[in-house]
Amino acid sequence: PVQFEQVLLNLCLNARDAIGEQGTIRLRTGHVAAMGHCASCSARLDAMSRWVVFEVTDDGTGMSREVIDRMFEPFFTTKDVGRGTGMGLAMVHGIVHDHGGHLQVRSMPGQGSTFRVLLPAGELPAAQAESPAGAAPPPASPRPLRGRVLLVEDEPNVGGFMQELMSGWGLQVVLERDPLHAARRLTAPDQPFDLLLTDQTMPGMTGLALARHATHQRPGLPVLLYTGNASDIGEHELAACGVSHQLRKPIEAGSLRRLLADLLGAHEAARP
């Protein structure tokens, strides 16, 4: 429910900005057999599948083809400075695809926009429909993650987005924007953490240096490092600093969640 609210809120805020001082925003829900392609991952949609759909439509300024092609990229925005972070639609993409869904967009300059969110339809209750013999059960919803994560990111917009995303998965996320402050947290015995997630390029201390410090202070603590220049860091250097895995920017939400689930599960199992 919290993630659904995040998706709906981001789409409605974008629609509000598109209509300006006067206009209309319409919300619609229903069931459809969707055709075409996903606007954010380009996957072809199976017309035989049943989807639950909700749409946010506005009669605002609309978008050009060039904007539609780039709007799900992290940090891409057409809004004035201070009006948007460029992370809203990236978050929508991550949440929807993490639940097996897709996105479709219709828009033209001066003719408004429609954002359609497609989510896999659940099975009907037995009283309403009988499942075919041997039919596979519906896919289970992802289990909430559990653990306390130290997130180190000096960019406020990125840090806020990452904290909100992981908190929605059930994690307790402690955000530090200063890696030196994070290092002091790792030294303090009254600060329990199950995983460290850090950016590489930060003022005062790199993510690798922080990872090395964490490994010295807390042997066995899983460390995830993300960077936009992964080619500069070799596997031996990562291993020497205690980095469990390295991620490239922009981070794909589904991959991050799977890694977190694996590392947190292994860390919990290794405890005495």
Side-chain angles (χ1 to χ4, degrees), residues 8-271:
L8 185 59
L9 179 61
N10 274 292
L11 294 180
C12 285
L13 287 175
N14 284 346
R16 178 205 63 185
D17 291 342
I19 63 176
E21 296 183 359
Q22 185 175 359
T24 302
I25 300 173
R26 293 182 174 87
L27 308 183
R28 187 178 74 87
T29 63
H31 288 85
V32 296
M35 300 179 65
H37 292 79
C38 174
S40 65
C41 76
S42 301
R44 179 178 292 277
L45 303 183
D46 181 5
M48 300 300 293
S49 299
R50 268 190 343 116
W51 302 91
V52 172
V53 60
F54 74 91
E55 290 182 347
V56 178
T57 299
D58 67 73
D59 55 5
T61 55
M63 298 177 291
S64 66
R65 184 73 254 174
E66 291 76 15
V67 171
I68 293 174
D69 289 342
R70 296 193 59 196
M71 63 186 173
F72 292 102
E73 296 178 12
F75 310 116
F76 175 77
T77 181
T78 60
K79 299 177 183 178
D80 296 335
V81 175
R83 290 293 306 275
T85 65
M87 297 305 295
L89 288 179
M91 179 185 295
V92 168
H93 163 85
I95 292 174
V96 170
H97 283 78
D98 196 40
H99 289 80
H102 290 289
L103 294 150
Q104 292 185 316
V105 180
R106 298 192 304 270
S107 184
M108 290 185 64
Q111 298 186 28
S113 303
T114 294
F115 283 78
R116 168 184 272 197
V117 176
L118 300 163
L119 296 172
E123 296 295 324
L124 292 173
Q128 298 183 34
E130 295 183 5
S131 299
S141 298
R143 291 184 179 181
L145 301 181
R146 293 289 179 262
R148 191 167 190 255
V149 174
L150 176 58
L151 169 64
V152 189
E153 170 57 68
D154 62 305
E155 289 288 340
N157 292 337
V158 180
F161 165 72
M162 296 285 288
Q163 184 180 36
E164 188 173 5
L165 179 68
M166 293 190 293
S167 296
W169 294 338
L171 296 170
Q172 182 184 356
V173 182
V174 178
L175 173 61
E176 275 289 358
R177 295 192 172 94
D178 187 333
L180 297 175
H181 291 173
R184 287 195 284 272
R185 280 187 180 270
L186 291 166
T187 304
D190 61 342
Q191 293 279 325
F193 292 107
D194 299 298
L195 184 139
L196 169 64
L197 173 62
T198 178
D199 188 19
Q200 163 63 2
T201 305
M202 297 179 291
M205 177 183 276
T206 66
L208 279 177
L210 181 60
R212 189 183 301 111
H213 172 79
T215 301
H216 176 72
Q217 294 293 328
R218 305 192 182 201
L221 180 71
V223 179
L224 281 175
L225 177 80
Y226 60 93
T227 175
N229 300 297
S231 59
D232 296 338
I233 307 174
E235 293 294 330
H236 293 296
E237 188 176 6
L238 292 170
C241 294
V243 176
S244 307
H245 289 277
Q246 179 182 234
L247 295 167
R248 285 294 302 269
K249 293 180 180 179
I251 297 175
E252 203 280 317
S255 298
L256 175 61
R257 183 184 175 120
R258 288 189 291 272
L259 268 177
L260 289 171
D262 291 344
L263 292 173
L264 290 169
H267 184 59
E268 178 68 24
R271 286 180 176 175

